[in-house]
Amino acid sequence: MPDARDASPYDALLLLSFGGPEGPDDVVPFLENVTRGRGIPKERLKEVGQHYFLFGGVSPINDQNRALLDALRKDFAGHGLDLPVYWGNRNWAPYLTDTLREMVRDGRRRVLVLATSAYASYSGCRQYRENLADALAALEAEGLELPKVDKLRHYFNHPGFLEPMIDGVLQSLAELPEDVRDGAHLAFSTHSIPTASADTSGPVEEHGDGGAYVKQHLDVAQQIADAVRERTGVDHPWQLVYQSRSGAPHIPWLEPDICDHLDERHAAGVPAVVIAPIGFVSDHMEVLYDLDTEARARAEELGLPMRRSATVGADPRFAAAIRELVLERAAAERGQDVTPCALGALGASHNLCPVGCCPARAPRPAAAGADSTYA
């Protein structure tokens, strides 16, 4: 491991997330930000926003990011790493452009970005890079000196991301009634995306059926299932499933949907299911609504015992993993030999997104990649 106190050449870390409403009046404006350019009427957005209104119009994602910020700052300080941590969102306050402007005015010149998405995909990586380019363009138009911005590699197979999820599945299994526990199936859930986006996820050489997006999730699911078997002595059948589908019904998206999967498992006589939301860093709205509300209601309707395991959130092991990734990237930028930390069959992801990686629906400038508009 590189020097635990040396993050040079970086002088700041930026936590970059999706954002979410923090009150009923925020819901429609937030959804307008998310869907900008798609021509969706406000009345339709009000319908889409009903699941936010069920929770008082408040998404938990912002508080969860505040908790992660606190965990990162405590971990950094506890290990003598003097690296300030900022926070910016794509779709709600604190907005990315405002945060980058603050960083520039604070004198930050070399910024490392942590996106709250662990896997390769357009919406989970390239779109964040496009947002970074948009923010840098806005600062350039204001005549500000632009920082150099890099993005941390995908961390789906870092042990600090995997271990909390393994513990979450073990805890959920332990909470099931003893008579159904050993026969429980594991449903590893992630966000459904259009199959066309999945097929072109990751570097060009990984494009194909499901692309890097599906491949990476399958690798994580296999590692968790293997760890559960090793620690319990029980080999639980598992499947990768999807949730949170949106968009036009005629466009193919990744399947099966989690609720359809519960129907199928019940029909097959499975005694119980543990849902593990491996595609999400924290228990934000899509986890609370699609799993804790809709999927739970379906399981109760079926009489199928179901538990949902926790996401990584602000687990200290995840905060430590981010510190390790920062130091790893910093050492690499200084020209040192680094052995990246990664488990499973796929190895460590790239530091620099190559040309053609998770291509945009339409050409747009992006930062922090081999095709970056801003060096």
Side-chain angles (χ1 to χ4, degrees):
M1 174 56 61
D3 187 337
R5 301 185 181 188
D6 188 4
S8 64
Y10 298 106
D11 56 16
L13 177 68
L14 169 61
L15 175 65
L16 177 55
S17 194
F18 193 81
E22 300 203 75
D25 293 341
D26 296 344
V27 173
V28 172
F30 163 73
L31 292 173
E32 287 175 332
N33 288 341
V34 174
T35 61
R36 192 173 307 282
R38 301 183 200 173
I40 299 177
K42 182 171 289 190
E43 291 307 310
R44 174 58 181 153
L45 293 180
K46 290 179 181 178
E47 294 175 15
V48 172
Q50 286 306 308
H51 56 286
Y52 286 100
F53 294 122
L54 288 175
F55 296 88
V58 179
S59 169
I61 192 170
N62 284 339
D63 277 346
Q64 289 163 1
N65 280 325
R66 292 182 184 104
L68 179 55
L69 283 170
D70 184 60
L72 290 170
R73 288 166 178 157
K74 286 180 178 176
D75 179 89
F76 288 6
H79 290 82
L81 178 59
D82 184 16
L83 188 71
V85 186
Y86 294 75
W87 170 36
N89 289 324
R90 287 171 45 184
N91 299 299
W92 202 249
Y95 288 103
L96 169 60
T97 301
D98 295 336
T99 300
L100 273 179
R101 184 184 297 110
E102 176 189 359
M103 297 175 81
V104 168
R105 290 174 175 167
D106 286 348
R108 310 306 174 193
R109 294 293 175 261
R110 193 75 188 270
V111 176
L112 195 52
V113 177
L114 163 66
T116 53
S117 176
Y119 302 86
S121 70
Y122 171 76
S123 56
C125 184
R126 171 83 192 195
Q127 193 170 15
Y128 282 99
R129 294 177 48 226
E130 291 174 353
N131 297 145
L132 283 166
D134 291 343
L136 291 168
L139 300 188
E140 185 177 47
E142 296 172 11
L144 296 177
E145 182 180 353
L146 300 185
K148 178 172 172 40
V149 176
D150 292 324
K151 179 179 174 292
L152 283 174
R153 65 176 173 88
H154 303 302
Y155 45 84
F156 63 92
N157 56 2
H158 194 287
F161 186 66
L162 287 166
E163 282 295 333
M165 292 191 292
I166 293 167
D167 285 351
V169 172
L170 291 169
Q171 178 64 36
S172 292
L173 285 168
E175 292 172 357
L176 285 170
E178 188 173 357
D179 60 333
V180 299
R181 186 180 304 149
D182 286 354
H185 283 216
L186 309 180
F188 295 107
S189 184
T190 190
H191 205 302
S192 184
I193 61 175
T195 56
S197 293
D199 294 346
T200 56
S201 58
V204 172
E205 62 271 17
E206 295 186 34
H207 291 181
D209 188 13
Y213 185 74
V214 171
K215 186 183 300 182
Q216 290 170 1
H217 280 88
L218 288 173
D219 185 63
V220 167
Q222 185 67 66
Q223 290 183 74
I224 295 174
D226 288 348
V228 169
R229 183 186 66 250
E230 291 167 4
R231 299 180 196 187
T232 65
V234 179
D235 190 7
H236 293 272
W238 62 269
Q239 186 169 341
L240 180 62
V241 301
Y242 302 93
Q243 62 177 90
S244 312
R245 181 199 161 120
S246 60
H250 68 278
I251 297 175
W253 283 54
L254 293 173
E255 296 178 338
D257 175 79
I258 177 59
C259 288
D260 294 339
H261 178 70
L262 293 176
D263 289 343
E264 189 274 334
R265 293 293 81 198
H266 177 258
V270 169
V273 172
V274 167
I275 302 175
I278 62 173
F280 305 91
V281 171
S282 64
D283 287 5
H284 55 60
M285 183 56 71
E286 286 168 319
V287 175
L288 293 186
Y289 185 76
D290 296 324
L291 298 184
D292 291 353
T293 304
E294 287 196 327
R296 187 173 301 281
R298 180 65 63 83
E300 290 175 354
E301 178 184 337
L302 295 169
L304 178 66
M306 184 271 279
R307 297 292 185 275
R308 196 270 292 176
S309 66
T311 52
V312 172
D315 190 289
R317 290 168 291 183
F318 183 46
I322 300 307
R323 170 173 43 84
E324 292 174 7
L325 289 167
V326 166
L327 296 172
E328 171 196 299
R329 181 63 181 273
E333 291 295 310
R334 296 194 301 267
Q336 296 176 223
D337 288 332
V338 177
T339 302
C341 185
L343 302 177
L346 300 182
S349 186
H350 47 263
N351 276 334
L352 191 68
C353 292
V355 175
C357 190
C358 304
R361 300 178 182 93
R364 283 186 59 192
D371 56 353
S372 293
T373 305
Y374 297 94

